[in-house]
Amino acid sequence: MNAQAPALRDPRLNSPEPFTPRDGGFFQRDHTIHPPAYAPGYKSSVLRSPRQALLSIENSVSEITGPVFGHNDLGPLDNDLIRNYAKDGDPVGERIIVHGRVLDETGRGVPNTLVEFWQANAGGRYRHKKDTYLAPIDPNFGGCGRALTDDTGYYYFRTVKPGPYPWRNFVNSWRPAHIHFSVFGSGFAQRLITQMYFEGDPLIPVCPILTTIPDKDALDRLVAPLDLNASTPFDSLAYRFDIVLRGQRSIYFENRTAGN
Amino acid sequence: MPQPLNYLKETASQTAGPYVHIGLIPAMAGFDIFEKNFSNVLVTPNTQGERITLEGKVIDGSGSPLRDVLLEIWQANAAGRYNHPADRSAGALEQDFRGWGRGGSDFESGVVTFETVKPGGMTDKSGRKCAPHVNVWIVARGINIGLNTRLYFSDEEVANAADPVLNLVEPAVRRKTLIATRSERAGKAVYSFTIHLQGPEETVFFDV
């Protein structure tokens, strides 16, 4: 298993300002790097997977636009899971910082985009009324947060490392430790939910959900490496997790004058 | 070897899982954490246009409603304008109508609702009229990559018949899977929809 490699960026693709308007459609999605809808090793997908072919449509204004969020949507503790639900002390567990950039496929940072995250506590228990795992709820841990990326696409938050937990798939299926991520981008066609895993976790290669991903490199890109340089000595370790959303075509020549 | 292009690859999708509510609608998970929360109510008292309720279910391959599904909708305002800088059409923008909402299905009935306004139609790059529609994105346990579909309106028959996306759907009999049905309830318009993940009535999902 290789943890996420640093993102390679072609300097020509990484200019701070686009050289032409980028409101063409998004790059066609490469489905070979995504899990298929029907993945019988993950049993819940069997009854919940469409069986007809998806209908491919050119991106219209409905797809290249998407909701815009701002700092007014967030509260001051939203990116601090150690403090945002604390009642009488800090939550139990390994203190960690998770940080990285939201990029698009051209390597540009995606600025001012909403990133939401949620996870189990250090014992592998979710604060959710439907979770019945015997590990205890942590009274000081909610398990969710959110952040807005900065002008370069950078985000960070603080939390405790989630624990692995058993789930009903096979009788002895366990989820590797993971954090769920929800990301928007600039257009609704970039909308993405994924999960971040931790370098070195031995449950990764046997996870029925993670192994729905057919492409090994794509799977490795979900594994965050330990980033000692970003850790805070005597306080928190750090993990680095970059997220790549679909790139967007530039409009080099405008052939039509009507409409938008 | 030619010059390398060095594009990055999109991050792989993973299921939102059964506990998606914790992160996206914590009140449904059973706790209160954020000062400000997103919801299934898109309108404010100032929003222009006809108030409507969208109400529906997502049905699995056994015919059962998903009771842990989360839907997001993205739509134009009543003037047909999206609240986003890439929409340069002439319709009036309303700053306090974001045009986006999220809702979780009821844990018993599986019903999802949104309180919004009926969007206006728009014109595409080729000058073709597009029927009013709401863009829908669906995630849940067992759904490995978010599903994109649209809701059109049953009382827009003429506009629907000319819509460039609806007209791409073949066989044509599947177009009806994208139409929400209008009714009146206590003097208010309700559009009902059923999204079938599988089976003879499988909803049309888009690769956008």
Side-chain angles (χ1 to χ4, degrees), chain B residues 129-165:
Chain B
K129 295 283 189 196
C130 303
H133 62 273
V134 170
N135 307 286
V136 181
W137 186 71
I138 304 162
V139 292
R141 170 177 69 88
I143 294 178
N144 285 326
I145 182 165
L147 299 171
N148 291 94
T149 186
R150 290 183 173 191
L151 293 175
Y152 289 84
F153 298 92
S154 63
D155 54 332
E156 295 283 347
E157 286 185 14
V158 174
N160 291 344
D163 183 80
V165 170

PDB file of all heavy atoms in Angstrom, chain B residues 129-165:
ATOM      1  N   LYS B 129     -34.809  26.432 -25.687  1.00  0.00           N
ATOM      2  CA  LYS B 129     -35.512  26.617 -24.415  1.00  0.00           C
ATOM      3  C   LYS B 129     -35.416  25.343 -23.571  1.00  0.00           C
ATOM      4  O   LYS B 129     -35.673  24.250 -24.075  1.00  0.00           O
ATOM      5  CB  LYS B 129     -36.996  26.924 -24.674  1.00  0.00           C
ATOM      6  CG  LYS B 129     -37.234  28.241 -25.401  1.00  0.00           C
ATOM      7  CD  LYS B 129     -37.070  29.406 -24.446  1.00  0.00           C
ATOM      8  CE  LYS B 129     -37.529  30.704 -25.120  1.00  0.00           C
ATOM      9  NZ  LYS B 129     -37.035  31.881 -24.376  1.00  0.00           N
ATOM     10  N   CYS B 130     -35.038  25.526 -22.326  1.00  0.00           N
ATOM     11  CA  CYS B 130     -34.988  24.393 -21.400  1.00  0.00           C
ATOM     12  C   CYS B 130     -36.157  24.500 -20.434  1.00  0.00           C
ATOM     13  O   CYS B 130     -36.414  25.573 -19.876  1.00  0.00           O
ATOM     14  CB  CYS B 130     -33.686  24.406 -20.606  1.00  0.00           C
ATOM     15  SG  CYS B 130     -32.220  24.380 -21.642  1.00  0.00           S
ATOM     16  N   ALA B 131     -36.846  23.409 -20.237  1.00  0.00           N
ATOM     17  CA  ALA B 131     -38.000  23.411 -19.335  1.00  0.00           C
ATOM     18  C   ALA B 131     -37.531  23.614 -17.893  1.00  0.00           C
ATOM     19  O   ALA B 131     -36.413  23.227 -17.531  1.00  0.00           O
ATOM     20  CB  ALA B 131     -38.757  22.089 -19.468  1.00  0.00           C
ATOM     21  N   PRO B 132     -38.388  24.196 -17.072  1.00  0.00           N
ATOM     22  CA  PRO B 132     -38.032  24.324 -15.643  1.00  0.00           C
ATOM     23  C   PRO B 132     -37.699  22.960 -15.051  1.00  0.00           C
ATOM     24  O   PRO B 132     -38.377  21.972 -15.333  1.00  0.00           O
ATOM     25  CB  PRO B 132     -39.310  24.883 -15.006  1.00  0.00           C
ATOM     26  CG  PRO B 132     -40.055  25.527 -16.124  1.00  0.00           C
ATOM     27  CD  PRO B 132     -39.716  24.726 -17.358  1.00  0.00           C
ATOM     28  N   HIS B 133     -36.645  22.918 -14.248  1.00  0.00           N
ATOM     29  CA  HIS B 133     -36.271  21.647 -13.647  1.00  0.00           C
ATOM     30  C   HIS B 133     -35.442  21.902 -12.389  1.00  0.00           C
ATOM     31  O   HIS B 133     -34.869  22.980 -12.213  1.00  0.00           O
ATOM     32  CB  HIS B 133     -35.486  20.765 -14.629  1.00  0.00           C
ATOM     33  CG  HIS B 133     -34.197  21.372 -15.082  1.00  0.00           C
ATOM     34  ND1 HIS B 133     -34.124  22.218 -16.169  1.00  0.00           N
ATOM     35  CD2 HIS B 133     -32.937  21.290 -14.589  1.00  0.00           C
ATOM     36  CE1 HIS B 133     -32.861  22.605 -16.328  1.00  0.00           C
ATOM     37  NE2 HIS B 133     -32.120  22.064 -15.373  1.00  0.00           N
ATOM     38  N   VAL B 134     -35.398  20.887 -11.562  1.00  0.00           N
ATOM     39  CA  VAL B 134     -34.591  20.885 -10.346  1.00  0.00           C
ATOM     40  C   VAL B 134     -33.571  19.759 -10.493  1.00  0.00           C
ATOM     41  O   VAL B 134     -33.929  18.634 -10.860  1.00  0.00           O
ATOM     42  CB  VAL B 134     -35.492  20.658  -9.111  1.00  0.00           C
ATOM     43  CG1 VAL B 134     -34.661  20.410  -7.863  1.00  0.00           C
ATOM     44  CG2 VAL B 134     -36.428  21.838  -8.913  1.00  0.00           C
ATOM     45  N   ASN B 135     -32.310  20.069 -10.230  1.00  0.00           N
ATOM     46  CA  ASN B 135     -31.245  19.055 -10.295  1.00  0.00           C
ATOM     47  C   ASN B 135     -31.163  18.345  -8.950  1.00  0.00           C
ATOM     48  O   ASN B 135     -31.188  18.988  -7.898  1.00  0.00           O
ATOM     49  CB  ASN B 135     -29.915  19.722 -10.624  1.00  0.00           C
ATOM     50  CG  ASN B 135     -30.015  20.573 -11.871  1.00  0.00           C
ATOM     51  OD1 ASN B 135     -30.072  20.059 -12.971  1.00  0.00           O
ATOM     52  ND2 ASN B 135     -30.097  21.890 -11.689  1.00  0.00           N
ATOM     53  N   VAL B 136     -31.054  17.028  -9.000  1.00  0.00           N
ATOM     54  CA  VAL B 136     -31.092  16.218  -7.778  1.00  0.00           C
ATOM     55  C   VAL B 136     -29.834  15.355  -7.702  1.00  0.00           C
ATOM     56  O   VAL B 136     -29.393  14.799  -8.718  1.00  0.00           O
ATOM     57  CB  VAL B 136     -32.339  15.303  -7.766  1.00  0.00           C
ATOM     58  CG1 VAL B 136     -32.394  14.485  -6.483  1.00  0.00           C
ATOM     59  CG2 VAL B 136     -33.608  16.124  -7.941  1.00  0.00           C
ATOM     60  N   TRP B 137     -29.290  15.265  -6.496  1.00  0.00           N
ATOM     61  CA  TRP B 137     -28.099  14.426  -6.245  1.00  0.00           C
ATOM     62  C   TRP B 137     -28.404  13.546  -5.050  1.00  0.00           C
ATOM     63  O   TRP B 137     -28.889  14.020  -4.019  1.00  0.00           O
ATOM     64  CB  TRP B 137     -26.916  15.353  -5.978  1.00  0.00           C
ATOM     65  CG  TRP B 137     -25.578  14.703  -5.836  1.00  0.00           C
ATOM     66  CD1 TRP B 137     -24.827  14.126  -6.810  1.00  0.00           C
ATOM     67  CD2 TRP B 137     -24.804  14.613  -4.632  1.00  0.00           C
ATOM     68  NE1 TRP B 137     -23.631  13.678  -6.289  1.00  0.00           N
ATOM     69  CE2 TRP B 137     -23.595  13.963  -4.964  1.00  0.00           C
ATOM     70  CE3 TRP B 137     -25.011  15.020  -3.310  1.00  0.00           C
ATOM     71  CZ2 TRP B 137     -22.603  13.706  -4.019  1.00  0.00           C
ATOM     72  CZ3 TRP B 137     -24.032  14.763  -2.374  1.00  0.00           C
ATOM     73  CH2 TRP B 137     -22.840  14.122  -2.732  1.00  0.00           C
ATOM     74  N   ILE B 138     -28.137  12.252  -5.184  1.00  0.00           N
ATOM     75  CA  ILE B 138     -28.610  11.252  -4.214  1.00  0.00           C
ATOM     76  C   ILE B 138     -27.425  10.466  -3.663  1.00  0.00           C
ATOM     77  O   ILE B 138     -26.641   9.903  -4.432  1.00  0.00           O
ATOM     78  CB  ILE B 138     -29.579  10.261  -4.904  1.00  0.00           C
ATOM     79  CG1 ILE B 138     -30.734  11.024  -5.560  1.00  0.00           C
ATOM     80  CG2 ILE B 138     -30.081   9.211  -3.923  1.00  0.00           C
ATOM     81  CD1 ILE B 138     -31.483  10.212  -6.597  1.00  0.00           C
ATOM     82  N   VAL B 139     -27.320  10.416  -2.339  1.00  0.00           N
ATOM     83  CA  VAL B 139     -26.287   9.588  -1.709  1.00  0.00           C
ATOM     84  C   VAL B 139     -26.905   8.783  -0.571  1.00  0.00           C
ATOM     85  O   VAL B 139     -27.896   9.208   0.035  1.00  0.00           O
ATOM     86  CB  VAL B 139     -25.098  10.421  -1.165  1.00  0.00           C
ATOM     87  CG1 VAL B 139     -24.302  11.042  -2.304  1.00  0.00           C
ATOM     88  CG2 VAL B 139     -25.554  11.490  -0.180  1.00  0.00           C
ATOM     89  N   ALA B 140     -26.325   7.623  -0.290  1.00  0.00           N
ATOM     90  CA  ALA B 140     -26.792   6.766   0.808  1.00  0.00           C
ATOM     91  C   ALA B 140     -25.825   5.622   0.974  1.00  0.00           C
ATOM     92  O   ALA B 140     -24.983   5.370   0.104  1.00  0.00           O
ATOM     93  CB  ALA B 140     -28.189   6.206   0.509  1.00  0.00           C
ATOM     94  N   ARG B 141     -25.987   4.909   2.071  1.00  0.00           N
ATOM     95  CA  ARG B 141     -25.379   3.578   2.214  1.00  0.00           C
ATOM     96  C   ARG B 141     -25.713   2.758   0.968  1.00  0.00           C
ATOM     97  O   ARG B 141     -26.849   2.787   0.482  1.00  0.00           O
ATOM     98  CB  ARG B 141     -25.991   2.920   3.446  1.00  0.00           C
ATOM     99  CG  ARG B 141     -25.686   1.477   3.650  1.00  0.00           C
ATOM    100  CD  ARG B 141     -26.304   0.971   4.947  1.00  0.00           C
ATOM    101  NE  ARG B 141     -27.772   0.918   4.900  1.00  0.00           N
ATOM    102  CZ  ARG B 141     -28.476  -0.132   4.460  1.00  0.00           C
ATOM    103  NH1 ARG B 141     -27.872  -1.221   4.042  1.00  0.00           N
ATOM    104  NH2 ARG B 141     -29.789  -0.100   4.454  1.00  0.00           N
ATOM    105  N   GLY B 142     -24.733   2.064   0.426  1.00  0.00           N
ATOM    106  CA  GLY B 142     -24.992   1.217  -0.737  1.00  0.00           C
ATOM    107  C   GLY B 142     -24.925   1.937  -2.069  1.00  0.00           C
ATOM    108  O   GLY B 142     -24.971   1.290  -3.107  1.00  0.00           O
ATOM    109  N   ILE B 143     -24.837   3.258  -2.044  1.00  0.00           N
ATOM    110  CA  ILE B 143     -24.670   4.026  -3.285  1.00  0.00           C
ATOM    111  C   ILE B 143     -23.206   4.455  -3.324  1.00  0.00           C
ATOM    112  O   ILE B 143     -22.766   5.250  -2.498  1.00  0.00           O
ATOM    113  CB  ILE B 143     -25.639   5.224  -3.334  1.00  0.00           C
ATOM    114  CG1 ILE B 143     -27.081   4.709  -3.413  1.00  0.00           C
ATOM    115  CG2 ILE B 143     -25.311   6.127  -4.533  1.00  0.00           C
ATOM    116  CD1 ILE B 143     -28.146   5.801  -3.414  1.00  0.00           C
ATOM    117  N   ASN B 144     -22.461   3.890  -4.266  1.00  0.00           N
ATOM    118  CA  ASN B 144     -21.007   4.076  -4.272  1.00  0.00           C
ATOM    119  C   ASN B 144     -20.574   5.416  -4.842  1.00  0.00           C
ATOM    120  O   ASN B 144     -19.485   5.903  -4.521  1.00  0.00           O
ATOM    121  CB  ASN B 144     -20.335   2.946  -5.066  1.00  0.00           C
ATOM    122  CG  ASN B 144     -20.314   1.652  -4.288  1.00  0.00           C
ATOM    123  OD1 ASN B 144     -20.198   1.673  -3.062  1.00  0.00           O
ATOM    124  ND2 ASN B 144     -20.436   0.531  -4.974  1.00  0.00           N
ATOM    125  N   ILE B 145     -21.379   5.968  -5.715  1.00  0.00           N
ATOM    126  CA  ILE B 145     -21.070   7.285  -6.272  1.00  0.00           C
ATOM    127  C   ILE B 145     -22.393   8.021  -6.431  1.00  0.00           C
ATOM    128  O   ILE B 145     -23.382   7.426  -6.871  1.00  0.00           O
ATOM    129  CB  ILE B 145     -20.273   7.169  -7.591  1.00  0.00           C
ATOM    130  CG1 ILE B 145     -19.918   8.545  -8.146  1.00  0.00           C
ATOM    131  CG2 ILE B 145     -20.964   6.296  -8.617  1.00  0.00           C
ATOM    132  CD1 ILE B 145     -18.838   8.525  -9.234  1.00  0.00           C
ATOM    133  N   GLY B 146     -22.433   9.264  -6.011  1.00  0.00           N
ATOM    134  CA  GLY B 146     -23.676  10.046  -5.986  1.00  0.00           C
ATOM    135  C   GLY B 146     -24.396   9.984  -7.324  1.00  0.00           C
ATOM    136  O   GLY B 146     -23.769  10.040  -8.385  1.00  0.00           O
ATOM    137  N   LEU B 147     -25.726   9.859  -7.263  1.00  0.00           N
ATOM    138  CA  LEU B 147     -26.534   9.711  -8.474  1.00  0.00           C
ATOM    139  C   LEU B 147     -27.133  11.056  -8.847  1.00  0.00           C
ATOM    140  O   LEU B 147     -27.724  11.738  -8.003  1.00  0.00           O
ATOM    141  CB  LEU B 147     -27.645   8.691  -8.244  1.00  0.00           C
ATOM    142  CG  LEU B 147     -27.169   7.274  -7.892  1.00  0.00           C
ATOM    143  CD1 LEU B 147     -28.357   6.408  -7.468  1.00  0.00           C
ATOM    144  CD2 LEU B 147     -26.434   6.657  -9.073  1.00  0.00           C
ATOM    145  N   ASN B 148     -26.996  11.424 -10.108  1.00  0.00           N
ATOM    146  CA  ASN B 148     -27.536  12.687 -10.605  1.00  0.00           C
ATOM    147  C   ASN B 148     -28.793  12.419 -11.423  1.00  0.00           C
ATOM    148  O   ASN B 148     -28.788  11.603 -12.343  1.00  0.00           O
ATOM    149  CB  ASN B 148     -26.521  13.383 -11.530  1.00  0.00           C
ATOM    150  CG  ASN B 148     -25.315  13.883 -10.772  1.00  0.00           C
ATOM    151  OD1 ASN B 148     -24.301  13.195 -10.676  1.00  0.00           O
ATOM    152  ND2 ASN B 148     -25.423  15.060 -10.201  1.00  0.00           N
ATOM    153  N   THR B 149     -29.857  13.131 -11.079  1.00  0.00           N
ATOM    154  CA  THR B 149     -31.056  13.073 -11.904  1.00  0.00           C
ATOM    155  C   THR B 149     -31.693  14.458 -11.889  1.00  0.00           C
ATOM    156  O   THR B 149     -31.111  15.409 -11.353  1.00  0.00           O
ATOM    157  CB  THR B 149     -32.018  11.963 -11.434  1.00  0.00           C
ATOM    158  OG1 THR B 149     -33.114  11.859 -12.350  1.00  0.00           O
ATOM    159  CG2 THR B 149     -32.541  12.199 -10.041  1.00  0.00           C
ATOM    160  N   ARG B 150     -32.857  14.596 -12.521  1.00  0.00           N
ATOM    161  CA  ARG B 150     -33.561  15.880 -12.555  1.00  0.00           C
ATOM    162  C   ARG B 150     -35.029  15.641 -12.264  1.00  0.00           C
ATOM    163  O   ARG B 150     -35.543  14.540 -12.502  1.00  0.00           O
ATOM    164  CB  ARG B 150     -33.458  16.533 -13.942  1.00  0.00           C
ATOM    165  CG  ARG B 150     -32.079  17.042 -14.290  1.00  0.00           C
ATOM    166  CD  ARG B 150     -32.111  17.734 -15.646  1.00  0.00           C
ATOM    167  NE  ARG B 150     -30.844  18.392 -15.960  1.00  0.00           N
ATOM    168  CZ  ARG B 150     -30.665  19.247 -16.969  1.00  0.00           C
ATOM    169  NH1 ARG B 150     -31.693  19.535 -17.786  1.00  0.00           N
ATOM    170  NH2 ARG B 150     -29.495  19.801 -17.183  1.00  0.00           N
ATOM    171  N   LEU B 151     -35.683  16.681 -11.774  1.00  0.00           N
ATOM    172  CA  LEU B 151     -37.137  16.677 -11.657  1.00  0.00           C
ATOM    173  C   LEU B 151     -37.698  17.762 -12.561  1.00  0.00           C
ATOM    174  O   LEU B 151     -37.309  18.934 -12.448  1.00  0.00           O
ATOM    175  CB  LEU B 151     -37.581  16.945 -10.219  1.00  0.00           C
ATOM    176  CG  LEU B 151     -37.242  15.873  -9.181  1.00  0.00           C
ATOM    177  CD1 LEU B 151     -37.652  16.355  -7.787  1.00  0.00           C
ATOM    178  CD2 LEU B 151     -37.932  14.555  -9.519  1.00  0.00           C
ATOM    179  N   TYR B 152     -38.590  17.363 -13.460  1.00  0.00           N
ATOM    180  CA  TYR B 152     -39.360  18.297 -14.274  1.00  0.00           C
ATOM    181  C   TYR B 152     -40.780  18.332 -13.715  1.00  0.00           C
ATOM    182  O   TYR B 152     -41.113  17.563 -12.809  1.00  0.00           O
ATOM    183  CB  TYR B 152     -39.352  17.845 -15.731  1.00  0.00           C
ATOM    184  CG  TYR B 152     -38.011  18.011 -16.428  1.00  0.00           C
ATOM    185  CD1 TYR B 152     -37.021  17.035 -16.302  1.00  0.00           C
ATOM    186  CD2 TYR B 152     -37.750  19.126 -17.209  1.00  0.00           C
ATOM    187  CE1 TYR B 152     -35.797  17.185 -16.933  1.00  0.00           C
ATOM    188  CE2 TYR B 152     -36.523  19.272 -17.852  1.00  0.00           C
ATOM    189  CZ  TYR B 152     -35.545  18.305 -17.706  1.00  0.00           C
ATOM    190  OH  TYR B 152     -34.338  18.458 -18.334  1.00  0.00           O
ATOM    191  N   PHE B 153     -41.622  19.209 -14.252  1.00  0.00           N
ATOM    192  CA  PHE B 153     -42.924  19.473 -13.643  1.00  0.00           C
ATOM    193  C   PHE B 153     -44.055  19.035 -14.571  1.00  0.00           C
ATOM    194  O   PHE B 153     -44.063  19.378 -15.765  1.00  0.00           O
ATOM    195  CB  PHE B 153     -43.038  20.959 -13.310  1.00  0.00           C
ATOM    196  CG  PHE B 153     -41.997  21.401 -12.313  1.00  0.00           C
ATOM    197  CD1 PHE B 153     -40.767  21.913 -12.736  1.00  0.00           C
ATOM    198  CD2 PHE B 153     -42.221  21.266 -10.954  1.00  0.00           C
ATOM    199  CE1 PHE B 153     -39.794  22.294 -11.817  1.00  0.00           C
ATOM    200  CE2 PHE B 153     -41.245  21.642 -10.031  1.00  0.00           C
ATOM    201  CZ  PHE B 153     -40.033  22.151 -10.463  1.00  0.00           C
ATOM    202  N   SER B 154     -45.040  18.315 -13.992  1.00  0.00           N
ATOM    203  CA  SER B 154     -46.101  17.711 -14.813  1.00  0.00           C
ATOM    204  C   SER B 154     -46.971  18.750 -15.509  1.00  0.00           C
ATOM    205  O   SER B 154     -47.600  18.447 -16.523  1.00  0.00           O
ATOM    206  CB  SER B 154     -46.977  16.803 -13.941  1.00  0.00           C
ATOM    207  OG  SER B 154     -47.623  17.572 -12.931  1.00  0.00           O
ATOM    208  N   ASP B 155     -47.033  19.975 -14.982  1.00  0.00           N
ATOM    209  CA  ASP B 155     -47.879  20.991 -15.609  1.00  0.00           C
ATOM    210  C   ASP B 155     -47.111  21.828 -16.632  1.00  0.00           C
ATOM    211  O   ASP B 155     -47.560  22.891 -17.025  1.00  0.00           O
ATOM    212  CB  ASP B 155     -48.495  21.897 -14.539  1.00  0.00           C
ATOM    213  CG  ASP B 155     -47.445  22.501 -13.623  1.00  0.00           C
ATOM    214  OD1 ASP B 155     -46.383  21.879 -13.434  1.00  0.00           O
ATOM    215  OD2 ASP B 155     -47.673  23.611 -13.095  1.00  0.00           O
ATOM    216  N   GLU B 156     -45.967  21.355 -17.063  1.00  0.00           N
ATOM    217  CA  GLU B 156     -45.163  22.064 -18.070  1.00  0.00           C
ATOM    218  C   GLU B 156     -45.044  21.210 -19.327  1.00  0.00           C
ATOM    219  O   GLU B 156     -43.956  21.055 -19.895  1.00  0.00           O
ATOM    220  CB  GLU B 156     -43.759  22.368 -17.514  1.00  0.00           C
ATOM    221  CG  GLU B 156     -43.740  23.311 -16.350  1.00  0.00           C
ATOM    222  CD  GLU B 156     -43.938  24.764 -16.771  1.00  0.00           C
ATOM    223  OE1 GLU B 156     -43.846  25.065 -17.988  1.00  0.00           O
ATOM    224  OE2 GLU B 156     -44.200  25.591 -15.875  1.00  0.00           O
ATOM    225  N   GLU B 157     -46.175  20.672 -19.773  1.00  0.00           N
ATOM    226  CA  GLU B 157     -46.118  19.689 -20.864  1.00  0.00           C
ATOM    227  C   GLU B 157     -45.481  20.246 -22.126  1.00  0.00           C
ATOM    228  O   GLU B 157     -44.698  19.563 -22.795  1.00  0.00           O
ATOM    229  CB  GLU B 157     -47.529  19.184 -21.177  1.00  0.00           C
ATOM    230  CG  GLU B 157     -48.050  18.231 -20.118  1.00  0.00           C
ATOM    231  CD  GLU B 157     -49.412  17.644 -20.496  1.00  0.00           C
ATOM    232  OE1 GLU B 157     -49.813  17.776 -21.671  1.00  0.00           O
ATOM    233  OE2 GLU B 157     -50.049  17.070 -19.614  1.00  0.00           O
ATOM    234  N   VAL B 158     -45.810  21.481 -22.473  1.00  0.00           N
ATOM    235  CA  VAL B 158     -45.291  22.046 -23.720  1.00  0.00           C
ATOM    236  C   VAL B 158     -43.781  22.253 -23.602  1.00  0.00           C
ATOM    237  O   VAL B 158     -43.009  21.868 -24.486  1.00  0.00           O
ATOM    238  CB  VAL B 158     -46.016  23.372 -24.046  1.00  0.00           C
ATOM    239  CG1 VAL B 158     -45.373  24.043 -25.269  1.00  0.00           C
ATOM    240  CG2 VAL B 158     -47.496  23.119 -24.286  1.00  0.00           C
ATOM    241  N   ALA B 159     -43.360  22.839 -22.496  1.00  0.00           N
ATOM    242  CA  ALA B 159     -41.921  23.071 -22.293  1.00  0.00           C
ATOM    243  C   ALA B 159     -41.171  21.749 -22.188  1.00  0.00           C
ATOM    244  O   ALA B 159     -40.076  21.604 -22.741  1.00  0.00           O
ATOM    245  CB  ALA B 159     -41.700  23.906 -21.031  1.00  0.00           C
ATOM    246  N   ASN B 160     -41.763  20.783 -21.495  1.00  0.00           N
ATOM    247  CA  ASN B 160     -41.095  19.483 -21.373  1.00  0.00           C
ATOM    248  C   ASN B 160     -40.901  18.824 -22.736  1.00  0.00           C
ATOM    249  O   ASN B 160     -39.860  18.194 -22.998  1.00  0.00           O
ATOM    250  CB  ASN B 160     -41.894  18.544 -20.465  1.00  0.00           C
ATOM    251  CG  ASN B 160     -41.875  18.985 -19.007  1.00  0.00           C
ATOM    252  OD1 ASN B 160     -41.043  19.796 -18.611  1.00  0.00           O
ATOM    253  ND2 ASN B 160     -42.814  18.467 -18.225  1.00  0.00           N
ATOM    254  N   ALA B 161     -41.908  18.960 -23.599  1.00  0.00           N
ATOM    255  CA  ALA B 161     -41.828  18.307 -24.910  1.00  0.00           C
ATOM    256  C   ALA B 161     -40.702  18.891 -25.754  1.00  0.00           C
ATOM    257  O   ALA B 161     -40.205  18.227 -26.673  1.00  0.00           O
ATOM    258  CB  ALA B 161     -43.169  18.452 -25.636  1.00  0.00           C
ATOM    259  N   ALA B 162     -40.286  20.117 -25.455  1.00  0.00           N
ATOM    260  CA  ALA B 162     -39.228  20.771 -26.232  1.00  0.00           C
ATOM    261  C   ALA B 162     -37.881  20.743 -25.515  1.00  0.00           C
ATOM    262  O   ALA B 162     -36.890  21.245 -26.045  1.00  0.00           O
ATOM    263  CB  ALA B 162     -39.635  22.223 -26.509  1.00  0.00           C
ATOM    264  N   ASP B 163     -37.837  20.163 -24.329  1.00  0.00           N
ATOM    265  CA  ASP B 163     -36.599  20.244 -23.531  1.00  0.00           C
ATOM    266  C   ASP B 163     -35.484  19.409 -24.149  1.00  0.00           C
ATOM    267  O   ASP B 163     -35.673  18.213 -24.429  1.00  0.00           O
ATOM    268  CB  ASP B 163     -36.871  19.768 -22.103  1.00  0.00           C
ATOM    269  CG  ASP B 163     -35.643  19.907 -21.221  1.00  0.00           C
ATOM    270  OD1 ASP B 163     -35.375  21.023 -20.757  1.00  0.00           O
ATOM    271  OD2 ASP B 163     -34.928  18.895 -21.038  1.00  0.00           O
ATOM    272  N   PRO B 164     -34.304  19.993 -24.362  1.00  0.00           N
ATOM    273  CA  PRO B 164     -33.233  19.256 -25.055  1.00  0.00           C
ATOM    274  C   PRO B 164     -32.701  18.057 -24.274  1.00  0.00           C
ATOM    275  O   PRO B 164     -32.213  17.098 -24.886  1.00  0.00           O
ATOM    276  CB  PRO B 164     -32.137  20.312 -25.251  1.00  0.00           C
ATOM    277  CG  PRO B 164     -32.466  21.445 -24.351  1.00  0.00           C
ATOM    278  CD  PRO B 164     -33.947  21.400 -24.119  1.00  0.00           C
ATOM    279  N   VAL B 165     -32.781  18.081 -22.950  1.00  0.00           N
ATOM    280  CA  VAL B 165     -32.302  16.923 -22.182  1.00  0.00           C
ATOM    281  C   VAL B 165     -33.357  15.822 -22.158  1.00  0.00           C
ATOM    282  O   VAL B 165     -33.049  14.650 -22.419  1.00  0.00           O
ATOM    283  CB  VAL B 165     -31.891  17.346 -20.761  1.00  0.00           C
ATOM    284  CG1 VAL B 165     -31.638  16.136 -19.879  1.00  0.00           C
ATOM    285  CG2 VAL B 165     -30.640  18.222 -20.823  1.00  0.00           C
TER     286      VAL B 165
END
